Amino acid sequence: MELKVTVLLPGLNDKVENMFPFNEELLFFVTRALATSQALDTLHLKLLFESTGQAASARTYYEKTGNPTGENVSYGSLLPKEVREGGGEGDAYILVSPQNRTGDPVILDVEKILNRAPDAIHILLNPKLEHNQANIAASIVETDRRRGLIESFKEVYHYRPLYVVKRPTLETAQVGLLHYQYGRPWRVFTGSEEDLTFADEFESLPGRGQISKVVETGTEKNREPQSEEEVQAIKQSEQQFLGDAMMP
């Protein structure tokens, strides 16, 4: 099973890195929140970080903050050898922010990981695997094949604050939120984190133009009031994602 989770909080979104520099500890926090979710606590889970050094830093961070992961969790790097060959349904792997780099198409390692344990659960967390991110001299056929691999992952959770750059100050300001939870529509909210208003919803991931139109109009849709459960999913989802109800 191939799943994808996207949590682009300030500090994890390279589109606004000029205002919110990359925060590795925040990445560790989000990874732990996913790793300790109820949906995964009965599985043999391995966290695969970009390097062995980052994996060691994550483990140290959890110990120092008094939030160690469970006995079912182990650590490694994004290499096929870290995956148990022929791993079965009881195994799960979180691939933490895999990123293609110039001359280093990590997407190929991701493919080898999938092939090595085809029956395990594989979760991409905040992947950056688009072809142009590696500047790889690959054929059109190969590019399409890699794109197909990325698209084979089913998105089960998406949390992305929306920003605009104000001119001439070039300051970044939040104008909304894109939120998705498996089994529910994609929802666009307008406003800041402290004062979000539901604006529109879509059956599939909305494009940039659709999102911009919703944010620009900022019109609240007529709909039934949100249930308490729905409110909690929106307001506190940074720490409550990938629950049982989100699994396909």
Side-chain angles (χ1 to χ4, degrees):
M1 183 184 296
E2 289 78 53
L3 308 175
K4 181 169 73 169
V5 172
T6 303
V7 182
L8 296 181
L9 296 166
L12 299 180
N13 187 347
D14 56 7
K15 302 296 184 183
V16 291
E17 207 167 45
N18 60 320
M19 289 293 293
F20 307 103
F22 174 69
N23 186 334
E24 187 175 61
E25 290 188 352
L26 180 58
L27 177 63
F28 295 161
F29 172 82
V30 170
T31 301
R32 184 188 180 280
L34 176 57
T36 56
S37 63
Q38 186 177 1
L40 300 177
D41 63 6
T42 61
L43 301 175
H44 297 101
L45 177 63
K46 193 165 190 177
L47 310 180
L48 301 181
F49 290 89
E50 188 174 35
S51 66
T52 54
Q54 189 179 53
S57 295
R59 185 194 295 268
T60 300
Y61 169 76
Y62 299 142
E63 292 174 351
K64 284 185 175 181
T65 56
N67 293 297
T69 49
E71 294 181 358
N72 66 314
V73 179
S74 58
Y75 299 77
S77 58
L78 272 165
L79 294 173
K81 68 179 183 179
E82 298 280 2
V83 175
R84 187 165 70 90
E85 189 167 12
E89 296 179 357
D91 291 341
Y93 300 91
I94 298 178
L95 285 64
V96 182
S97 195
Q99 179 175 351
N100 281 333
R101 301 183 186 279
T102 302
D104 183 19
V106 172
I107 182 65
L108 299 182
D109 286 327
V110 171
E111 182 178 38
K112 291 175 183 177
I113 287 172
L114 297 183
N115 292 337
R116 190 171 174 86
D119 295 325
I121 296 174
H122 304 274
I123 304 173
L124 290 182
L125 174 61
N126 289 3
K128 301 174 184 177
L129 297 174
E130 288 78 7
H131 175 67
N132 58 2
Q133 287 176 326
N135 193 23
I136 311 164
S139 67
I140 294 177
V141 173
E142 176 64 9
T143 299
D144 289 342
R145 189 185 70 81
R146 296 176 185 178
R147 184 178 296 113
L149 176 64
I150 297 171
E151 293 174 352
S152 69
F153 284 81
K154 180 188 294 291
E155 186 125 35
V156 293
Y157 187 82
H158 191 105
Y159 187 98
R160 175 160 57 96
L162 306 172
Y163 299 93
V164 296
V165 178
K166 294 182 178 181
R167 299 183 184 279
T169 61
L170 300 182
E171 293 181 348
T172 302
Q174 183 177 355
V175 293
L177 171 73
L178 177 62
H179 183 269
Y180 171 74
Q181 190 171 353
Y182 181 79
R184 300 176 180 176
W186 289 78
R187 293 189 173 99
V188 178
F189 296 79
T190 56
S192 65
E193 184 69 28
E194 297 76 22
D195 187 24
L196 290 171
T197 300
F198 173 79
D200 209 344
E201 63 184 32
F202 301 85
E203 290 304 314
S204 58
L205 173 63
R208 180 180 300 178
Q210 292 173 298
I211 294 174
S212 296
K213 184 176 180 180
V214 173
V215 170
E216 288 170 4
T217 57
T219 303
E220 183 173 358
K221 289 283 185 178
N222 292 322
R223 57 168 295 189
E224 293 297 321
Q226 296 174 353
S227 67
E228 182 62 25
E229 178 185 359
E230 187 176 10
V231 171
Q232 290 302 316
I234 302 300
K235 296 295 185 180
Q236 300 179 19
S237 56
E238 300 98 316
Q239 302 178 43
Q240 295 182 336
F241 55 85
L242 207 69
D244 288 342
M246 299 169 57
M247 297 292 286

